[in-house]
Amino acid sequence: MSTTRTILYICATVLLLGGSEAFTAPPSSNIRSSLVSSTACNVVAEAVSPLYASNANELLPMRRGSSVAFITPFTQDNKIHESEIRQLIRWHVESGTDNLCLLGTTAEAACLTMEERARIITIGVEEAKGKVPLLIGTGTINPVHVKEMTMQAKDLGADAALVVAPYYVKPPQRCLVQHMIDAADWDLLPIVMYNIPGRSVVDMTDESLAQCAEHPNIVGLKDATGDLSRVQRFRQLHSDPNFLLYSGDDSTSCEFINQGGDGCISVTANIVPDRMHEIMTLQERGQATALDAPLQQLHADLFSDANPMPAKWVMEQMGLLSSAQCRKPLD
């Protein structure tokens, strides 16, 4: 993928020359985030050590805006790179990332052990608990394993769980609904549903999603269909303004907000977190669209090969990662 990598490098270089502070190397300082606005949350944030979270049982509600689909750094010998995870999380906190989504598709979570998952969640809690909501991917085919991973996330201090529609087995709509309702009925963590037909080969209908959204423990949806017309269709079926709609498609995420969405769960935010936060949260949507236009090629190039290979390559070129190593079957 030499041509593609050249394009990616050019995109990253152009943005670097544009002076975006998001492209600086991850800082080592422990600056407190100014994002937690309420007095109660500020007290919690100040009580948290950068190394030892004292508020593991406090749930920080999911926010509107830019959520990074966080990559998992690996060392050359294929171990999780704990110091780089810490650096990147600190960078996201200081860059204004609104939610941290750990252990999702982009994190290569399917290739991580439960022990590795525990370490990554623990580092996330140590570095960001009380500052930025921690959304943990806990979805898979087997509900038993979904519950196991969600219990682990809760016990370690996560704020919410991202549950994907079961892939490969092609459940009918009634089973997809029951899968999400079961996860919510466990009453472990607030649930964000994840609808991604391109990977799961099943598409939860708007009616099924709206039915699930009536459950008080289901607080949001990550929609990776790329179909912008579904935002308003879903809002017509479920009008609760507090239910969060996140785009899972970077190239259409800005327009997703314009259509009534609340934010994105973004691969591009691994590269330009401050820019993605600005695009997702600007009240003046015309200005947001203008800011997003130069990123359209980058959005596309980051999916020119299997995710997260292109994103990791760019991050290595930028000095954010010491290695673009992925777990097999990726390379």
Side-chain angles (χ1 to χ4, degrees), residues 8-296:
L8 287 164
Y9 187 71
I10 291 170
C11 288
T13 302
V14 168
L15 287 166
L16 271 166
L17 293 174
S20 171
E21 294 180 359
F23 285 90
T24 56
S28 58
S29 60
N30 296 317
I31 299 173
R32 298 297 184 190
S33 171
S34 62
L35 293 175
V36 186
S37 57
S38 71
T39 302
C41 287
N42 278 331
V43 171
V44 169
E46 287 302 317
V48 178
S49 159
L51 296 179
Y52 301 101
S54 61
N55 60 336
N57 293 322
E58 300 282 345
L59 292 182
L60 192 60
M62 293 290 295
R63 297 172 177 152
R64 293 173 170 82
S66 173
S67 311
V68 61
F70 194 85
I71 61 96
T72 300
F74 295 113
T75 63
Q76 290 285 4
D77 57 355
N78 206 31
K79 297 177 181 178
I80 60 171
H81 202 311
E82 295 194 8
S83 63
E84 288 189 350
I85 293 171
R86 289 189 189 279
Q87 288 179 322
L88 289 171
I89 290 175
R90 292 173 188 175
W91 182 47
H92 280 288
V93 171
E94 295 175 12
S95 296
T97 295
D98 298 286
N99 304 287
L100 288 171
C101 181
L102 308 178
L103 300 175
T105 305
T106 306
E108 302 169 77
C111 298
L112 296 170
T113 66
M114 286 296 283
E115 291 75 17
E116 289 172 326
R117 290 177 61 89
R119 281 303 301 151
I120 292 168
I121 297 170
T122 298
I123 293 169
V125 169
E126 290 172 352
E127 296 295 340
K129 184 66 179 180
K131 305 172 187 177
V132 179
L134 296 167
L135 174 65
I136 308 300
T138 64
T140 188
I141 300 173
N142 189 338
V144 174
H145 295 157
V146 177
K147 186 172 185 178
E148 180 184 17
M149 291 188 288
T150 307
M151 289 178 66
Q152 179 194 59
K154 174 184 172 64
D155 290 343
L156 293 174
D159 295 301
L162 180 68
V163 178
V164 70
Y167 43 88
Y168 187 71
V169 294
K170 300 183 180 179
Q173 291 298 312
R174 67 180 186 280
C175 297
L176 292 169
V177 169
Q178 193 59 54
H179 186 80
M180 297 299 175
I181 296 297
D182 285 344
D185 279 345
W186 298 328
D187 198 21
L188 295 170
L189 287 171
I191 301 297
V192 176
M193 300 180 290
Y194 184 9
N195 189 34
I196 180 166
R199 290 183 181 271
S200 62
V201 202
V202 288
D203 183 0
M204 292 188 72
T205 65
D206 296 314
E207 291 76 13
S208 293
L209 292 165
Q211 182 180 345
C212 294
E214 294 296 328
H215 197 295
N217 288 342
I218 296 180
V219 300
L221 165 66
K222 178 183 178 182
D223 181 332
T225 65
D227 183 352
L228 294 169
S229 67
R230 297 187 67 163
V231 180
Q232 293 187 11
R233 290 209 305 269
F234 177 85
R235 291 295 193 200
Q236 290 170 355
L237 293 166
H238 185 75
S239 58
D240 181 359
N242 295 316
F243 188 88
L244 297 167
L245 286 181
Y246 298 110
S247 169
D249 179 54
D250 276 303
S251 63
T252 60
S253 61
C254 184
E255 184 58 26
F256 187 91
I257 302 293
N258 298 345
Q259 294 295 322
D262 297 296
C264 65
I265 298 179
S266 166
V267 176
T268 303
N270 284 288
I271 314 299
V272 279
D274 60 348
R275 188 72 58 84
M276 289 304 297
H277 163 73
E278 188 175 10
I279 290 167
M280 290 296 108
T281 57
L282 270 172
Q283 294 298 312
E284 175 48 57
R285 296 312 301 163
Q287 185 180 355
T289 300
L291 285 174
D292 185 60
L295 295 183
Q296 282 298 314

